[in-house]
Amino acid sequence: MVNTPSLTNIRNARAVRMPDNAPRRRRGRREGTVGGAAAVNVVLIVAAIYFLLPLVWVLVAATKSPGDLFSSFGLWFSDSPQAWQNLVTLFTQNGGIFTRWVLNSILYSGAGALVAMVLSAACGYAIAKYSFWGREALFSTILGGVLVPATVIALPLYFLLNTVGLTGTYWAVLLPSMVSPFGVYLARIHANASVPDEIIEAARIDGAGDLRIFATMAVRMMSPALVTIFLFQFVTIWNNYLLPLVMLNDTKTFPVTLGLTLWNSQTQRDPMFYQLVVTGSAVSAVLLVVLMIAMQKFWRADLTAGATKG
């Protein structure tokens, strides 16, 4: 007669085998996690080198003389650095026109990004929290603006602003920079996630109007997204080259990008302009890096808000 193993014996056998197998499974998971983390770190390091290498080259090249700029190794300093002399030459060239270009870029980027942030916040909040006919169609139309290349709308914008006599003025660059379709998208997403409908209803019951609710409550809850919209739009306007090229004709209204391109076109006539362009590019890059570092704490607040919520 064949002895059938009892249920108790089967359980005991499984209980005895499990400690032998469990560490192997945990070890396999741990090794897979470590391997995946190492691969991610390698990719991030390669990406960081790829993006930081041009910045390092510009900063190093800004300390060299025009002769050393081409005769020395690009990623290391020359034997006779002259960073201060290059800066003095940069800010005194053509009567200090570079300072005017920097101030113009700050005006275009700062004012344009600020207005774009406010408009995007109001539009995104309204689309997220109010129900009205054609809401999704309107949002899809606005979002479609992200897909339209800047080269397509440059010429129509020129004819439109030329009709009202604004080409060649600061408004020709400021007005198109005050619109950000991507900012509207980001504001709507963040309004849905961070502004509860219950708080809006409670504020209405207490007698607060819609404008007051938006200005005093929703804006504070959406502040991390608003900082992101401001930074994205600021950098986009600062690096914009095509719009100022089409709209402006007076060097006194040029931003940094257009002014450095003007100097770069004169390098064949005078090689000294190579150093001016390199030093000016370094100053422009440093200003953007300083802005990013100054706004870093707001991005950190946005990242930690989801971890501490609830």
Side-chain angles (χ1 to χ4, degrees):
M1 181 177 181
V2 179
N3 293 328
T4 303
S6 63
L7 182 60
T8 303
N9 293 335
I10 294 175
R11 290 176 178 176
N12 292 337
R14 289 180 178 177
V16 172
R17 287 195 297 267
M18 282 181 63
D20 294 334
N21 295 334
R24 296 176 184 175
R25 296 193 188 100
R26 288 195 296 268
R27 192 181 304 113
R29 295 194 192 100
R30 191 179 301 112
E31 291 175 354
T33 303
V34 173
V40 170
N41 290 334
V42 170
V43 173
L44 291 177
I45 291 173
V46 172
I49 293 174
Y50 174 79
F51 287 110
L52 292 178
L53 202 59
L55 179 61
V56 172
W57 183 91
V58 168
L59 294 178
V60 172
T63 65
K64 298 180 180 180
S65 63
D68 293 336
L69 186 61
F70 297 99
S71 60
S72 60
F73 180 59
L75 297 178
W76 194 247
F77 300 94
S78 63
D79 296 333
S80 56
Q82 55 175 37
W84 178 253
Q85 182 179 346
N86 291 338
L87 288 175
V88 172
T89 305
L90 174 68
F91 285 98
T92 57
Q93 180 72 20
N94 295 341
I97 191 65
F98 183 77
T99 303
R100 183 73 176 263
W101 293 341
V102 171
L103 294 177
N104 289 340
S105 290
I106 293 175
L107 173 63
Y108 294 140
S109 303
L114 183 63
V115 175
M117 179 190 70
V118 175
L119 294 179
S120 298
C123 186
Y125 173 81
I127 295 176
K129 296 303 177 181
Y130 294 94
S131 297
F132 53 89
W133 182 84
R135 180 178 67 171
E136 294 302 326
L138 175 62
F139 180 70
S140 299
T141 303
I142 295 174
L143 194 59
V146 179
L147 306 177
V148 179
T151 54
V152 174
I153 63 175
L155 196 58
L157 279 176
Y158 174 81
F159 288 128
L160 180 64
L161 295 176
N162 187 54
T163 303
V164 295
L166 292 180
T167 52
T169 66
Y170 288 98
W171 290 107
V173 178
L174 280 173
L175 288 178
S177 302
M178 292 177 179
V179 179
S180 175
F182 176 75
V184 176
Y185 165 77
L186 187 61
R188 181 191 181 181
I189 297 300
H190 206 82
N192 278 327
S194 62
V195 184
D197 295 335
E198 294 79 6
I199 293 181
I200 298 176
E201 294 299 327
R204 288 173 178 168
I205 293 175
D206 291 340
D210 291 336
L211 183 60
R212 183 180 178 184
I213 294 173
F214 169 73
T216 60
M217 299 174 59
V219 169
R220 293 184 180 181
M221 296 177 181
M222 297 168 59
S223 58
L226 301 187
V227 172
T228 304
I229 294 171
F230 178 84
L231 285 176
F232 280 2
Q233 190 68 4
F234 188 97
V235 174
T236 300
I237 301 172
W238 186 279
N239 294 328
N240 195 356
Y241 168 74
L242 180 62
L243 183 64
L245 177 65
V246 173
M247 297 295 179
L248 304 177
N249 51 24
D250 186 1
T251 57
K252 293 182 179 180
T253 61
F254 282 6
V256 171
T257 51
L258 195 57
L260 293 178
T261 304
L262 176 64
W263 279 354
N264 189 58
S265 65
Q266 303 179 30
T267 53
Q268 300 297 330
R269 178 179 59 85
D270 187 355
M272 183 195 67
F273 281 97
Y274 278 116
Q275 190 58 51
L276 291 174
V277 172
V278 170
T279 307
S281 301
V283 172
S284 176
V286 168
L287 291 176
L288 288 181
V289 170
V290 170
L291 176 67
M292 290 292 182
I293 294 175
M295 296 291 185
Q296 189 73 17
K297 61 180 181 180
F298 294 99
W299 279 354
R300 290 177 180 175
D302 188 21
L303 293 175
T304 57
T308 59
K309 185 176 180 180

